[in-house]
Amino acid sequence: MRIGFNPNKDKPQESNDFFHQIVIPVYIPDQEGYFKESFKILQYCLESVFKTVHQKTYITVVNNGSHDDVVEYLNELQKDGKIQEVIHSTNIGKLNAIVKGISGHDFTFITVADCDVLFLKDWQKETYAVFEMFPKTGTVCPTPSSRSLKSYTFNIWFELLFSKSLRFRKVKNPVALKAFAASVGKPNMYSSLHLEKYLTVANGNFKAVPGAGHFLATYRKEVFEKMEIKHSAFMLGGDSEEKFLDLPVVKNGMWRLSTEDNFAYHLGNVEEKWMQETLEQIKPNDFFPVEPPVLRKIKSSEIAFLLKYKVFSRIITQKMIWQYCLKLKGLSREEVLQYTRKYE
């Protein structure tokens, strides 16, 4: 039985001032083994978020069946107004948690972050700058990599192959590259040359690095507006990140880029002394945008995607052609051989 009239029927939703959402999936089932120190890492992550974001940021945490201490911690943060949304579920997997966090919202920017990220001052400011300086940008990672030059970047290569704006330049922060390699347990990930030079795209004096990592990246909302993938069969990894986070950017005719300098650290699952020290040294945010940057609409087509991603990528990655392209972009013959060598 129903009595009366629901006062919310046909009532438009009130607008809010947020234009940037951060979605952080969290899975910490216990405090043993691999997850022994993960709760502390999560605290570092969220505290760094609170210190570095502007007031137009909407924070969503999706709890994927974590233990009771994590649940209580997240609920208290939401109660205190530090987090706008906490979603509790059983462990549905990382990508499904991201989908759940994005659904029901409409923000200009969506940042997807692992719960072991330490955000640094100005990461939003520098991310927006990349979007503004390179209008075709669809996603930005604030941690550049020398090894991302072939990571869903062939549309950039296609469009700038003979442009002087795309070339190898000096690495801005080699220490940060080494820190990332150590954090993922691959200390030999970067050779001495990778720490010296990386591929960049330039607009005047402003530069960015082609390619973007998954552990922390900011996307234009258009990337997710026509999602073909609604569910992932993988708890983590598989082809889920490719289908949900990588290909949609390229299919929309957009570029995947990273900031020239480093504005975040990957922490891993083991607490180290430098983490607390770095968190304490982060200065409070002093970037207060009133509105989001105005982004140009990007045209895309299935034919363009097939040409740049399917056809051109197969041509340019042929060994001799790829080596020629690297020389064309500023590497010597000896540097090409070193740059393309696989790490152990």
Side-chain angles (χ1 to χ4, degrees):
M1 180 177 70
R2 176 188 298 156
I3 299 176
F5 183 81
N6 190 322
N8 290 309
K9 184 176 177 60
D10 300 326
K11 181 180 179 181
Q13 182 175 344
E14 295 182 5
S15 60
N16 60 59
D17 292 331
F18 300 110
F19 63 78
H20 189 158
Q21 181 189 27
I22 300 178
V23 179
I24 304 176
V26 177
Y27 175 61
I28 307 176
D30 52 48
Q31 298 188 65
E32 301 174 3
Y34 181 90
F35 301 100
K36 183 178 180 179
E37 298 174 358
S38 294
F39 187 17
K40 186 62 179 178
I41 296 295
L42 171 64
Q43 292 173 312
Y44 285 143
C45 172
L46 292 178
E47 287 301 321
S48 71
V49 171
F50 304 148
K51 293 185 72 172
T52 59
V53 298
H54 58 67
Q55 72 273 26
K56 305 293 185 178
T57 307
Y58 188 97
I59 303 172
T60 297
V61 178
V62 185
N63 167 37
N64 255 346
S66 298
H67 64 80
D68 291 344
D69 288 348
V70 174
V71 172
E72 183 179 351
Y73 170 66
L74 295 178
N75 287 340
E76 283 298 316
L77 290 177
Q78 184 182 30
K79 182 179 178 181
D80 293 341
K82 293 184 176 181
I83 292 177
Q84 282 66 47
E85 181 180 42
V86 178
I87 301 171
H88 295 293
S89 74
T90 56
N91 184 16
I92 58 176
K94 176 182 175 180
L95 268 297
N96 293 324
I98 293 171
V99 173
K100 188 178 287 290
I102 294 174
S103 299
H105 295 296
D106 183 26
F107 298 104
T108 302
F109 296 110
I110 301 167
T111 295
V112 176
D114 289 352
C115 64
D116 59 352
V117 174
L118 191 74
F119 294 76
L120 301 179
K121 187 178 182 296
D122 289 335
W123 71 270
Q124 284 180 307
K125 181 179 180 180
E126 295 299 323
T127 293
Y128 296 168
V130 175
F131 279 107
E132 290 183 289
M133 296 301 290
F134 302 100
K136 286 192 174 183
T137 304
T139 183
V140 178
C141 174
T143 300
S145 172
S146 302
R147 288 192 171 276
S148 66
L149 69 170
K150 291 170 68 177
S151 178
Y152 302 93
T153 59
F154 293 117
N155 55 341
I156 301 176
W157 279 95
F158 181 91
E159 296 171 33
L160 301 178
L161 183 59
F162 298 105
S163 171
K164 292 183 179 180
S165 65
L166 183 68
R167 64 181 297 104
F168 284 92
R169 295 179 174 88
K170 184 178 179 181
V171 170
K172 184 87 171 182
N173 192 338
V175 175
L177 263 65
K178 289 192 287 187
F180 177 78
S183 73
V184 295
K186 299 177 180 179
N188 299 320
M189 182 175 179
Y190 298 113
S191 68
S192 58
L193 182 59
H194 287 111
L195 297 173
E196 180 184 344
K197 298 180 180 181
Y198 51 22
L199 187 69
T200 62
V201 57
N203 182 351
N205 293 324
F206 189 90
K207 305 175 188 67
V209 178
H214 293 130
F215 83 103
L216 171 60
T218 299
Y219 301 81
R220 289 176 56 148
K221 69 176 183 179
E222 293 85 355
V223 172
F224 302 117
E225 283 183 336
K226 297 180 180 179
M227 290 190 300
E228 299 175 2
I229 306 299
K230 302 295 184 181
H231 173 267
S232 172
F234 294 93
M235 300 301 287
L236 184 67
D239 63 355
S240 57
E241 291 178 324
E242 174 189 21
K243 290 183 177 180
F244 186 77
L245 300 176
D246 297 328
L247 284 177
V249 178
V250 182
K251 285 185 175 182
N252 278 282
M254 300 176 183
W255 293 359
R256 299 174 70 254
L257 297 173
S258 295
T259 54
E260 182 187 20
D261 203 348
N262 183 73
F263 294 94
Y265 287 121
H266 180 259
L267 301 179
N269 65 325
V270 178
E271 182 184 7
E272 298 176 74
K273 183 180 178 181
W274 67 268
M275 298 174 183
Q276 178 65 44
E277 294 174 347
T278 303
L279 179 63
E280 293 174 352
Q281 293 170 4
I282 298 175
K283 296 181 180 179
N285 171 64
D286 56 4
F287 174 55
F288 305 106
V290 177
E291 297 178 343
V294 177
L295 303 180
R296 190 181 77 188
K297 186 175 181 179
I298 307 300
K299 295 181 179 180
S300 62
S301 70
E302 184 67 21
I303 294 177
F305 168 71
L306 292 175
L307 175 62
K308 298 176 184 181
Y309 183 75
K310 297 291 186 180
V311 178
F312 180 71
S313 64
R314 292 181 181 179
I315 296 174
I316 194 175
T317 52
Q318 296 296 314
K319 184 177 180 180
M320 297 300 294
I321 298 177
W322 182 242
Q323 291 181 351
Y324 166 78
C325 289
L326 295 184
K327 286 191 287 185
L328 181 67
K329 294 304 174 184
L331 295 184
S332 67
R333 182 178 180 181
E334 292 74 19
E335 288 175 331
V336 167
L337 295 176
Q338 183 178 348
Y339 217 89
T340 56
R341 189 176 301 140
K342 294 183 178 180
Y343 64 92
E344 299 178 354

Short mmCIF file of all heavy atoms in Angstrom, two decimals, residues 17-23 49 52-60 81-84 107 109 111 123-124 128 285 287 289:
data_model
loop_
_atom_site.label_atom_id
_atom_site.label_comp_id
_atom_site.label_asym_id
_atom_site.label_seq_id
_atom_site.Cartn_x
_atom_site.Cartn_y
_atom_site.Cartn_z
N ASP A 17 29.10 21.22 -7.05
CA ASP A 17 30.25 21.98 -7.54
C ASP A 17 31.43 21.10 -7.95
O ASP A 17 32.43 21.61 -8.43
CB ASP A 17 30.72 22.96 -6.45
CG ASP A 17 29.69 24.06 -6.20
OD1 ASP A 17 28.95 24.39 -7.15
OD2 ASP A 17 29.64 24.58 -5.08
N PHE A 18 31.32 19.79 -7.74
CA PHE A 18 32.44 18.92 -8.08
C PHE A 18 32.56 18.72 -9.59
O PHE A 18 31.55 18.60 -10.28
CB PHE A 18 32.24 17.55 -7.42
CG PHE A 18 32.14 17.59 -5.92
CD1 PHE A 18 30.94 17.34 -5.28
CD2 PHE A 18 33.25 17.88 -5.15
CE1 PHE A 18 30.84 17.37 -3.89
CE2 PHE A 18 33.17 17.91 -3.75
CZ PHE A 18 31.96 17.66 -3.13
N PHE A 19 33.78 18.71 -10.09
CA PHE A 19 33.98 18.38 -11.50
C PHE A 19 35.08 17.33 -11.71
O PHE A 19 35.37 16.95 -12.84
CB PHE A 19 34.27 19.64 -12.34
CG PHE A 19 35.54 20.38 -11.98
CD1 PHE A 19 36.79 19.92 -12.39
CD2 PHE A 19 35.48 21.57 -11.27
CE1 PHE A 19 37.95 20.62 -12.09
CE2 PHE A 19 36.64 22.28 -10.96
CZ PHE A 19 37.87 21.80 -11.37
N HIS A 20 35.68 16.88 -10.64
CA HIS A 20 36.76 15.88 -10.74
C HIS A 20 36.50 14.78 -9.70
O HIS A 20 36.40 15.05 -8.51
CB HIS A 20 38.10 16.54 -10.48
CG HIS A 20 39.28 15.66 -10.77
ND1 HIS A 20 40.55 16.17 -11.03
CD2 HIS A 20 39.41 14.30 -10.86
CE1 HIS A 20 41.38 15.16 -11.26
NE2 HIS A 20 40.71 14.02 -11.14
N GLN A 21 36.38 13.56 -10.18
CA GLN A 21 36.15 12.42 -9.29
C GLN A 21 37.41 11.55 -9.20
O GLN A 21 38.10 11.33 -10.20
CB GLN A 21 35.00 11.55 -9.79
CG GLN A 21 34.69 10.34 -8.90
CD GLN A 21 33.69 9.38 -9.52
OE1 GLN A 21 33.58 9.31 -10.74
NE2 GLN A 21 32.97 8.65 -8.69
N ILE A 22 37.69 11.07 -7.99
CA ILE A 22 38.75 10.08 -7.80
C ILE A 22 38.09 8.79 -7.35
O ILE A 22 37.34 8.78 -6.37
CB ILE A 22 39.76 10.53 -6.73
CG1 ILE A 22 40.44 11.84 -7.14
CG2 ILE A 22 40.83 9.45 -6.52
CD1 ILE A 22 41.42 12.36 -6.11
N VAL A 23 38.35 7.70 -8.07
CA VAL A 23 37.80 6.39 -7.73
C VAL A 23 38.95 5.49 -7.28
O VAL A 23 39.90 5.24 -8.04
CB VAL A 23 37.07 5.75 -8.92
CG1 VAL A 23 36.54 4.38 -8.54
CG2 VAL A 23 35.95 6.65 -9.40
N VAL A 49 45.93 12.09 -0.60
CA VAL A 49 44.82 12.62 -1.40
C VAL A 49 44.26 13.87 -0.73
O VAL A 49 44.08 14.92 -1.35
CB VAL A 49 43.70 11.57 -1.58
CG1 VAL A 49 42.46 12.22 -2.21
CG2 VAL A 49 44.18 10.42 -2.44
N THR A 52 46.41 16.99 -1.14
CA THR A 52 46.80 17.50 -2.47
C THR A 52 45.65 17.87 -3.40
O THR A 52 45.88 18.51 -4.42
CB THR A 52 47.67 16.45 -3.19
OG1 THR A 52 46.94 15.22 -3.33
CG2 THR A 52 48.96 16.18 -2.42
N VAL A 53 44.41 17.48 -3.09
CA VAL A 53 43.32 17.76 -4.03
C VAL A 53 42.67 19.11 -3.78
O VAL A 53 42.69 19.62 -2.66
CB VAL A 53 42.23 16.66 -3.99
CG1 VAL A 53 42.81 15.33 -4.40
CG2 VAL A 53 41.58 16.57 -2.61
N HIS A 54 42.08 19.69 -4.83
CA HIS A 54 41.33 20.93 -4.67
C HIS A 54 39.91 20.63 -4.19
O HIS A 54 39.47 19.47 -4.17
CB HIS A 54 41.32 21.73 -5.98
CG HIS A 54 40.75 21.00 -7.17
ND1 HIS A 54 39.43 20.65 -7.28
CD2 HIS A 54 41.33 20.58 -8.33
CE1 HIS A 54 39.20 20.07 -8.43
NE2 HIS A 54 40.34 19.99 -9.10
N GLN A 55 39.19 21.68 -3.85
CA GLN A 55 37.88 21.51 -3.19
C GLN A 55 36.78 21.06 -4.13
O GLN A 55 35.66 20.75 -3.68
CB GLN A 55 37.48 22.81 -2.48
CG GLN A 55 37.07 23.94 -3.41
CD GLN A 55 38.23 24.77 -3.89
OE1 GLN A 55 39.37 24.30 -3.95
NE2 GLN A 55 37.96 26.03 -4.21
N LYS A 56 37.05 20.99 -5.42
CA LYS A 56 36.05 20.54 -6.39
C LYS A 56 36.21 19.05 -6.70
O LYS A 56 35.71 18.56 -7.72
CB LYS A 56 36.17 21.35 -7.69
CG LYS A 56 36.09 22.86 -7.51
CD LYS A 56 34.72 23.32 -7.05
CE LYS A 56 34.65 24.84 -7.01
NZ LYS A 56 33.32 25.34 -6.62
N THR A 57 36.88 18.34 -5.82
CA THR A 57 37.18 16.93 -6.04
C THR A 57 36.25 16.03 -5.24
O THR A 57 36.09 16.20 -4.03
CB THR A 57 38.64 16.62 -5.64
OG1 THR A 57 39.52 17.52 -6.31
CG2 THR A 57 39.00 15.19 -6.03
N TYR A 58 35.64 15.08 -5.89
CA TYR A 58 34.71 14.13 -5.29
C TYR A 58 35.42 12.78 -5.14
O TYR A 58 35.85 12.19 -6.13
CB TYR A 58 33.49 13.98 -6.20
CG TYR A 58 32.34 13.18 -5.64
CD1 TYR A 58 31.26 13.81 -5.03
CD2 TYR A 58 32.31 11.79 -5.76
CE1 TYR A 58 30.18 13.07 -4.54
CE2 TYR A 58 31.24 11.05 -5.27
CZ TYR A 58 30.18 11.69 -4.67
OH TYR A 58 29.11 10.97 -4.19
N ILE A 59 35.57 12.33 -3.91
CA ILE A 59 36.35 11.11 -3.64
C ILE A 59 35.43 9.92 -3.40
O ILE A 59 34.58 9.94 -2.51
CB ILE A 59 37.26 11.32 -2.41
CG1 ILE A 59 38.17 12.53 -2.62
CG2 ILE A 59 38.08 10.06 -2.15
CD1 ILE A 59 38.96 12.93 -1.40
N THR A 60 35.60 8.89 -4.23
CA THR A 60 34.83 7.65 -4.11
C THR A 60 35.77 6.50 -3.79
O THR A 60 36.75 6.28 -4.50
CB THR A 60 34.09 7.33 -5.43
OG1 THR A 60 33.14 8.34 -5.72
CG2 THR A 60 33.37 5.98 -5.33
N GLY A 81 33.42 13.78 6.47
CA GLY A 81 33.34 14.60 5.26
C GLY A 81 34.60 14.61 4.42
O GLY A 81 34.71 15.39 3.46
N LYS A 82 35.55 13.75 4.73
CA LYS A 82 36.78 13.70 3.94
C LYS A 82 36.60 12.90 2.65
O LYS A 82 37.28 13.12 1.66
CB LYS A 82 37.92 13.10 4.77
CG LYS A 82 38.35 13.98 5.94
CD LYS A 82 39.54 13.38 6.66
CE LYS A 82 40.04 14.30 7.76
NZ LYS A 82 41.23 13.74 8.46
N ILE A 83 35.68 11.94 2.70
CA ILE A 83 35.33 11.14 1.53
C ILE A 83 33.85 11.36 1.24
O ILE A 83 33.02 11.33 2.15
CB ILE A 83 35.59 9.63 1.78
CG1 ILE A 83 37.09 9.37 1.89
CG2 ILE A 83 34.99 8.78 0.67
CD1 ILE A 83 37.43 7.93 2.21
N GLN A 84 33.52 11.60 -0.02
CA GLN A 84 32.12 11.86 -0.37
C GLN A 84 31.30 10.59 -0.53
O GLN A 84 30.10 10.58 -0.28
CB GLN A 84 32.06 12.66 -1.68
CG GLN A 84 32.37 14.14 -1.53
CD GLN A 84 33.80 14.41 -1.13
OE1 GLN A 84 34.74 13.84 -1.69
NE2 GLN A 84 33.99 15.26 -0.12
N PHE A 107 31.16 13.64 -14.09
CA PHE A 107 32.24 14.58 -13.80
C PHE A 107 33.10 14.77 -15.04
O PHE A 107 33.26 13.85 -15.84
CB PHE A 107 33.11 14.07 -12.65
CG PHE A 107 32.37 13.91 -11.35
CD1 PHE A 107 32.01 12.65 -10.89
CD2 PHE A 107 32.02 15.01 -10.58
CE1 PHE A 107 31.32 12.48 -9.70
CE2 PHE A 107 31.34 14.86 -9.39
CZ PHE A 107 30.98 13.59 -8.94
N PHE A 109 36.36 15.11 -15.20
CA PHE A 109 37.54 14.25 -15.08
C PHE A 109 37.28 13.11 -14.10
O PHE A 109 36.61 13.30 -13.08
CB PHE A 109 38.75 15.05 -14.59
CG PHE A 109 39.21 16.13 -15.54
CD1 PHE A 109 39.03 17.47 -15.23
CD2 PHE A 109 39.81 15.81 -16.75
CE1 PHE A 109 39.45 18.46 -16.09
CE2 PHE A 109 40.22 16.80 -17.63
CZ PHE A 109 40.05 18.13 -17.30
N THR A 111 39.62 10.25 -12.12
CA THR A 111 40.92 9.67 -11.80
C THR A 111 40.70 8.28 -11.21
O THR A 111 39.95 8.13 -10.25
CB THR A 111 41.70 10.54 -10.80
OG1 THR A 111 42.02 11.79 -11.41
CG2 THR A 111 42.98 9.84 -10.37
N TRP A 123 49.67 17.52 -8.51
CA TRP A 123 49.41 16.48 -9.51
C TRP A 123 48.18 16.83 -10.35
O TRP A 123 48.15 16.59 -11.57
CB TRP A 123 49.23 15.11 -8.84
CG TRP A 123 47.97 14.92 -8.06
CD1 TRP A 123 47.78 15.19 -6.73
CD2 TRP A 123 46.71 14.42 -8.55
NE1 TRP A 123 46.48 14.90 -6.37
CE2 TRP A 123 45.80 14.42 -7.45
CE3 TRP A 123 46.25 13.96 -9.78
CZ2 TRP A 123 44.48 13.99 -7.57
CZ3 TRP A 123 44.94 13.54 -9.90
CH2 TRP A 123 44.06 13.55 -8.80
N GLN A 124 47.16 17.44 -9.75
CA GLN A 124 45.99 17.85 -10.52
C GLN A 124 46.32 19.01 -11.45
O GLN A 124 45.93 19.02 -12.62
CB GLN A 124 44.84 18.23 -9.59
CG GLN A 124 44.11 17.05 -8.96
CD GLN A 124 42.97 17.51 -8.06
OE1 GLN A 124 43.17 18.32 -7.16
NE2 GLN A 124 41.79 16.96 -8.27
N TYR A 128 45.94 18.77 -15.52
CA TYR A 128 45.09 19.66 -16.31
C TYR A 128 45.91 20.37 -17.39
O TYR A 128 45.42 20.60 -18.50
CB TYR A 128 44.42 20.71 -15.42
CG TYR A 128 43.46 20.17 -14.39
CD1 TYR A 128 42.98 20.97 -13.36
CD2 TYR A 128 43.02 18.85 -14.43
CE1 TYR A 128 42.08 20.50 -12.42
CE2 TYR A 128 42.13 18.36 -13.48
CZ TYR A 128 41.68 19.18 -12.48
OH TYR A 128 40.80 18.69 -11.53
N ASN A 285 47.64 21.78 -0.61
CA ASN A 285 47.27 22.25 -1.93
C ASN A 285 47.01 23.75 -1.93
O ASN A 285 46.37 24.29 -1.03
CB ASN A 285 46.00 21.51 -2.38
CG ASN A 285 45.43 22.11 -3.64
OD1 ASN A 285 46.06 22.08 -4.69
ND2 ASN A 285 44.22 22.66 -3.54
N PHE A 287 46.12 25.10 -5.11
CA PHE A 287 45.53 25.19 -6.45
C PHE A 287 44.02 25.12 -6.30
O PHE A 287 43.47 24.12 -5.86
CB PHE A 287 46.06 24.03 -7.31
CG PHE A 287 45.45 23.91 -8.68
CD1 PHE A 287 45.46 24.98 -9.56
CD2 PHE A 287 44.86 22.71 -9.08
CE1 PHE A 287 44.90 24.87 -10.82
CE2 PHE A 287 44.31 22.59 -10.34
CZ PHE A 287 44.33 23.67 -11.22
N PRO A 289 41.00 25.79 -8.59
CA PRO A 289 40.24 26.12 -9.81
C PRO A 289 38.75 26.22 -9.51
O PRO A 289 38.21 25.46 -8.72
CB PRO A 289 40.54 24.93 -10.72
CG PRO A 289 40.81 23.79 -9.78
CD PRO A 289 41.52 24.43 -8.61
#
